[in-house]
Amino acid sequence: MTDEKEKLNMRPVDKLAKFTLTAIVLSIICAICWYFREALIYIIIAAVVSLVGNPIMQLLKKVKIKGKSAPSAMLTILTQLFIFLLFSAVVTQVIPVIYSIIETVSVNLNSSTLDTAFRSFSNPIKDLNDWLIATFPSLGEGFRVEKYTFEYLMKSLDFTSISSVIGSVASFLMNMGIGIFSVTFISFFFIKDEKLFINIISAMVPDSFEKKVKDAISDIQNLLSRYFVGLLVEVGAVALLNFIGLLVFAKLGVGPALGIAFLAGMLNVIPYVGPWIGAAIGTGLGLVLKFSAVSAAGGSMNFLSVTLILVAVFVVTQLIDNFLLQPYIYSTSIKASPLEIFIVLIIAGHLGGILGMLIAIPTYTVIRVIASKFFPNVKAIRRLTRNDAEKEQKK
């Protein structure tokens, strides 16, 4: 009551001064964050790694030898090692499939199969050239679309910039090495002490807001941890379903099927757009592998039937993901309705493209929790978070 009376008794000049001071402080904070954005990005990535690692850490703590669990530092190292091995497994399964495709094509395709493939592509190009000349006579009889395409590509490539490209690659590798070390080092302490992040943030806010901030951060950590773990489960499930379909129905072989399945599973992280990109790339890679294998054996391949099989594999997997996996992960893990998530993703995609869609759900989760803790009396926020409040009251 005292605070409300003070607010009512404040003069307009005092309100303006308070508003100006708040704006200046926020501007300084934003400027500092922008100046140290690289360090801030490392901290955010480390926080995400810790959100994935905390459930693993809790499971390891339950393993006890003679009634005692291992030291926290050792359990943290094991958790980070598990995450690193999981990431390495994905990378080592995606890269070899690209290499195997290049190797298979270079080894199995002889001059006759290359000639057949060239003719299969040259006929449509010839028809395209004839159509363009007939439609646009000003192009001339000697117009060739492949010739102008090649010349355009040659003009676009600046071969004098090769040295700068090499320098950029070296700089990128060095920065990536620094980033990996920084993220590993910071995430070690975040995983080892799960309350460290809460203590750091709460130390920067006034005492009157400390309890709300701690509650908000605790809820955010819980929701985002469930979301990222659920996302990993979704990626693994999608990859497994694709692998079974590509191996059993498309008959691609264990190695190629595993690589393409992992690639499609990773792209599935991008909401709505990612599955289509993964299906397109997976179908293209599958057709290349099948074509090279059949050509090497001296046979022929029905492109339409193979394409339909590959597309069917990805479509069926995506239907299972849409109707079984995503509703559980997106709705249950962050306690938001599917329509709510869909609207957020559309807005994020319009504002930030694919990157915006990638960070949309975690960002919305953070905003949603902060709004529910600090602005519970706003009607729109109260309606959006009504189910969460009811669940907390039941507890």
Side-chain angles (χ1 to χ4, degrees):
M1 291 294 293
T2 305
D3 294 338
E4 292 180 359
K5 289 181 179 179
E6 289 180 357
K7 289 180 181 179
L8 292 173
N9 295 329
M10 285 180 67
R11 295 177 299 172
V13 177
D14 295 333
K15 291 181 180 180
L16 179 62
K18 184 178 180 181
F19 176 79
T20 305
L21 182 62
T22 303
I24 292 173
V25 172
L26 290 176
S27 300
I28 293 173
I29 293 173
C30 291
I32 293 173
C33 291
W34 176 256
Y35 186 78
F36 296 103
R37 58 187 179 276
E38 289 188 3
L40 190 62
I41 290 173
Y42 295 153
I43 294 173
I44 293 173
I45 297 174
V48 173
V49 173
S50 68
L51 290 174
V52 177
N54 282 333
I56 302 172
M57 182 77 169
Q58 297 304 321
L59 289 175
L60 292 176
K61 284 182 178 180
K62 293 180 180 179
V63 179
K64 296 183 179 181
I65 300 175
K66 295 182 179 180
K68 295 182 179 180
S69 59
S72 297
M74 182 182 296
L75 295 179
T76 304
I77 293 173
L78 290 175
T79 301
Q80 288 184 311
L81 184 61
F82 177 81
I83 295 173
F84 175 76
L85 291 176
L86 184 64
F87 177 78
S88 300
V90 173
V91 173
T92 54
Q93 290 302 324
V94 172
I95 293 179
V97 71
I98 308 297
Y99 174 78
S100 67
I101 290 173
I102 297 173
E103 185 180 36
T104 303
V105 172
S106 62
V107 171
N108 293 337
L109 292 184
N110 51 38
S111 59
S112 61
T113 56
L114 285 174
D115 184 59
T116 303
F118 177 77
R119 283 200 301 270
S120 65
F121 284 105
S122 63
N123 290 334
I125 293 176
K126 182 178 180 301
D127 294 338
L128 177 61
N129 286 326
D130 294 339
W131 179 82
L132 289 172
I133 293 171
T135 307
F136 306 100
S138 59
L139 294 175
E141 293 294 331
F143 176 80
R144 296 291 180 270
V145 68
E146 65 272 20
K147 175 184 175 183
Y148 284 92
T149 303
F150 179 76
E151 290 177 354
Y152 175 79
L153 291 174
M154 292 300 293
K155 290 179 182 178
S156 300
L157 293 173
D158 183 10
F159 293 100
T160 60
S161 63
I162 293 178
S163 59
S164 63
V165 171
I166 294 174
S168 299
V169 171
S171 176
F172 170 76
L173 292 175
M174 184 180 69
N175 291 333
M176 186 174 67
I178 295 173
I180 292 173
F181 174 78
S182 301
V183 170
T184 303
F185 186 80
I186 297 171
S187 64
F188 173 84
F189 292 98
F190 282 170
I191 296 173
K192 184 173 180 290
D193 184 4
E194 60 181 348
K195 294 184 179 180
L196 178 62
F197 189 75
I198 297 178
N199 293 333
I200 292 174
I201 300 299
S202 61
M204 300 179 183
V205 300
D207 293 339
S208 56
F209 293 103
E210 186 172 347
K211 185 179 184 304
K212 287 186 177 181
V213 169
K214 285 185 175 181
D215 292 341
I217 296 176
S218 179
D219 289 348
I220 290 170
Q221 285 183 328
N222 181 41
L223 292 174
L224 289 184
S225 180
R226 291 167 58 185
Y227 169 72
F228 285 117
V229 171
L231 203 59
L232 289 177
V233 173
E234 182 192 13
V235 169
V238 169
L240 178 61
L241 291 171
N242 282 328
F243 170 71
I244 294 172
L246 294 172
L247 181 65
V248 176
F249 298 102
K251 302 185 185 302
L252 288 183
V254 176
L258 192 60
I260 294 174
F262 264 110
L263 181 62
M266 290 300 297
L267 289 171
N268 200 77
V269 171
I270 306 172
Y272 297 106
V273 180
W276 295 105
I277 298 174
I281 294 176
T283 301
L285 294 177
L287 285 172
V288 171
L289 285 171
K290 293 291 288 186
F291 176 76
S292 60
V294 172
S295 298
S300 60
M301 184 181 73
N302 189 330
F303 278 92
L304 180 59
S305 61
V306 175
T307 302
L308 289 176
I309 292 172
L310 290 170
V311 171
V313 169
F314 292 108
V315 168
V316 171
T317 299
Q318 192 55 37
L319 290 174
I320 295 173
D321 180 42
N322 288 339
F323 289 101
L324 295 179
L325 300 177
Q326 286 188 8
Y328 176 79
I329 293 170
Y330 292 162
S331 301
T332 307
S333 61
I334 64 174
K335 299 179 181 179
S337 68
L339 178 60
E340 195 177 338
I341 295 299
F342 181 74
I343 294 173
V344 169
L345 289 172
I346 289 178
I347 296 173
H350 179 72
L351 295 176
I354 292 177
L355 180 60
M357 296 180 77
L358 277 173
I359 65 174
I361 296 177
T363 303
Y364 177 68
T365 302
V366 173
I367 296 173
R368 197 171 185 270
V369 171
I370 292 175
S372 66
K373 295 295 182 182
F374 290 90
F375 308 101
N377 296 324
V378 177
K379 183 178 180 180
I381 296 173
R382 189 171 64 250
R383 290 289 178 85
L384 283 174
T385 59
R386 180 175 55 188
N387 293 333
D388 300 349
E390 289 175 356
K391 289 179 180 179
E392 288 182 0
Q393 288 177 357
K394 289 180 180 179
K395 290 180 181 179

